[in-house]
Amino acid sequence: AWTVFASGISNLALFQAEMTTDALEILGMAERGMLPKIFATRSPHGTATYGILLGTIVIIGMSVADFRDIIEMLNFTYAISLLMEYAAFIKLRITRKEVYRPYRVPLNTAGCIAMVIPPCIVTILLMLMASFMTYIYFAVSVLLGIVLRCAHVKRSNSRLDQSECNDQSVEDTGSDDAEDESFVIS
């Protein structure tokens, strides 16, 4: 009985730690302008309240799904991230040969491509066995990511336009600091 009680308390603590970490990641992304500003607000106690609420909504939304479906969706997402890592690895080997790598793979580019082809094939084959709901989940996730990225780029471009206007007004006044301020991007 004590073992079950202790494991329950441990799981609750792990859940709280994960929820807090996720909420602070959301807060950090909002502070950098990657998410809406509402997620950057903190409570009087310093907690990321809106990040916790978003995490709770996602958890409640996923709790109605079958456990196997959730595992499949998470594995599908992980498979996509693996394919992206392999693609980034090969791209950097081709485009950035001069970059210092403390843990260099002792193969040339063709050898690296040959090394990542088998895991890519197996990963793609496993992804093809996913259910229709997993494909829907993935499509919605990608669309949401594209929308958030476009909003972030649009917002960054408007900030750059404003800083360029500020730089021109500083140059018009003949300030000596105009050259230094032109490199500041908020």
Side-chain angles (χ1 to χ4, degrees):
W2 284 103
T3 308
V4 173
F5 178 74
S7 66
I9 296 297
S10 176
N11 283 334
L12 185 62
L14 285 172
F15 174 76
Q16 291 295 329
E18 182 66 29
M19 178 73 85
T20 304
T21 302
D22 293 342
L24 290 175
E25 287 174 354
I26 290 169
L27 181 126
M29 290 173 69
E31 286 176 347
R32 291 176 175 239
M34 296 178 190
L35 290 175
K37 282 284 188 192
I38 192 163
F39 293 112
T41 56
R42 293 178 182 253
S43 73
H45 304 289
T47 57
T49 307
Y50 292 106
I52 292 172
L53 286 173
L54 179 66
T56 303
I57 290 168
V58 169
I59 288 169
I60 290 171
M62 297 296 279
S63 67
V64 297
D66 184 39
F67 185 71
R68 290 181 187 191
D69 292 339
I70 293 172
I71 296 296
E72 184 177 295
M73 290 177 200
L74 291 174
N75 285 338
F76 194 90
T77 305
Y78 179 69
I80 293 294
S81 72
L82 275 178
L83 292 175
M84 291 174 69
E85 286 176 21
Y86 292 145
F89 170 67
I90 298 301
K91 182 181 179 191
L92 287 174
R93 288 293 288 227
I94 294 170
T95 61
R96 302 287 208 101
K97 295 178 184 179
E98 74 284 349
V99 172
Y100 171 72
R101 294 175 176 91
Y103 303 105
R104 187 168 175 84
V105 176
L107 297 172
N108 60 11
T109 303
C112 289
I113 291 171
M115 179 181 73
V116 300
I117 284 177
C120 286
I121 290 172
V122 171
T123 302
I124 291 169
L125 287 175
L126 288 173
M127 290 171 60
L128 291 174
M129 291 188 260
S131 67
F132 181 72
M133 195 63 192
T134 300
Y135 291 123
I136 296 294
Y137 160 77
F138 176 69
V140 168
S141 299
V142 168
L143 289 175
L144 181 64
I146 290 171
V147 166
L148 289 174
R149 177 66 181 161
C150 289
H152 176 67
V153 168
K154 184 177 178 182
R155 184 179 176 128
S156 296
N157 288 341
S158 69
R159 283 185 184 172
L160 285 175
D161 291 341
Q162 289 174 351
S163 69
E164 287 174 5
C165 291
N166 293 340
D167 290 341
Q168 289 175 356
S169 66
V170 169
E171 289 174 7
D172 292 340
T173 60
S175 172
D176 293 342
D177 297 333
E179 186 174 316
D180 294 335
E181 290 183 42
S182 65
F183 293 103
V184 177
I185 299 174
S186 56

